[in-house]
Amino acid sequence: MAKVLYPGSFDPIHLGHLDVVEQALDLFGHVVVCTMHNPSKPSGQFALDERLAMIDEVVEPLRRLGTVDVVSFAGLAVDAARSNGVDFIVKGLRTGGDFEVEQQMAQTNFVAAGVRTVYLPCKPSLVFISSRFIREIAQYGGDVSAMVPPSVLGHLERASGRS
Ligand code: PNS
């Protein structure tokens, strides 16, 4: 068993992310889900506190499989890994495009700080899901119920002023 860090923007968390948490729990037993700011993205829709609350709600049923901690961190993923005492980082891969980006980050994180990254392939039925498109669709009142857990729908409706 191992303790692993799953870092991401989670703006908002969706079913693809939850699949990665479930796989990581199954394989490693202890997952620290860590919401972070992605410097290459604009400030985001949800504040870190709201992302934390959403994640905490949706991972609750997965706690039957192992230990899940939910944290936020301002700074580098490798420093989040160190301060949470994890063995390595896990990332989900949807497409070849994800691989290009993740491989560069993983190699940089290893060379700069000795922190390793393990990739988990996303479930094929979920690979199209992205937080960006969920935010866009929800802002215009579209239906994203096939992409996010039910409790996240309420947050999206409130954020778009529809409830
Ligand atoms: O969900 P995302 O947006 O793909 O997550 C990306 C994230 C937040 C994990 C990535 O941007 C990150 O690691 N941010 C922390 C800053 C950092 O460590 N930068 C150095 C990367 S080599």
Side-chain angles (χ1 to χ4, degrees):
M1 293 312 230
K3 180 177 177 184
V4 302
L5 187 84
Y6 179 29
S9 306
F10 305 116
D11 186 30
I13 190 163
H14 56 60
L15 295 180
H17 294 131
L18 270 186
D19 172 48
V20 174
V21 177
E22 187 167 353
Q23 291 190 55
L25 271 179
D26 196 27
L27 288 165
F28 309 121
H30 190 162
V31 180
V32 182
V33 183
C34 181
T35 58
M36 306 193 67
H37 176 58
N38 182 341
S40 65
K41 291 180 180 171
S43 61
Q45 176 159 21
F46 294 102
L48 279 182
D49 280 356
E50 190 165 3
R51 294 184 213 174
L52 272 179
M54 283 189 271
I55 298 167
D56 222 15
E57 272 178 273
V58 302
V59 299
E60 189 52 38
L62 298 181
R63 291 198 160 105
R64 72 185 191 284
L65 301 172
T67 305
V68 188
D69 302 325
V70 179
V71 301
S72 64
F73 192 87
L76 298 174
V78 292
D79 289 334
R82 281 206 199 96
S83 85
N84 285 283
V86 302
D87 298 292
F88 47 86
I89 289 171
V90 296
K91 290 288 189 76
L93 288 186
R94 291 168 298 189
T95 60
D98 277 355
F99 177 75
E100 297 283 323
V101 176
E102 297 299 344
Q103 181 77 340
Q104 191 174 17
M105 278 200 275
Q107 288 173 338
T108 305
N109 285 336
F110 185 66
V111 169
V115 177
R116 290 183 195 279
T117 300
V118 166
Y119 305 133
L120 296 173
C122 294
K123 199 185 271 181
S125 59
L126 302 174
V127 290
F128 66 94
I129 301 177
S130 96
S131 295
R132 183 184 141 204
F133 294 138
I134 288 168
R135 290 194 303 270
E136 280 182 16
I137 295 166
Q139 269 163 20
Y140 289 100
D143 180 7
V144 292
S145 58
M147 296 175 243
V148 294
S151 62
V152 170
L153 283 176
H155 290 266
L156 284 162
E157 280 168 15
R158 278 191 292 282
S160 65
R162 283 180 292 113
S163 74

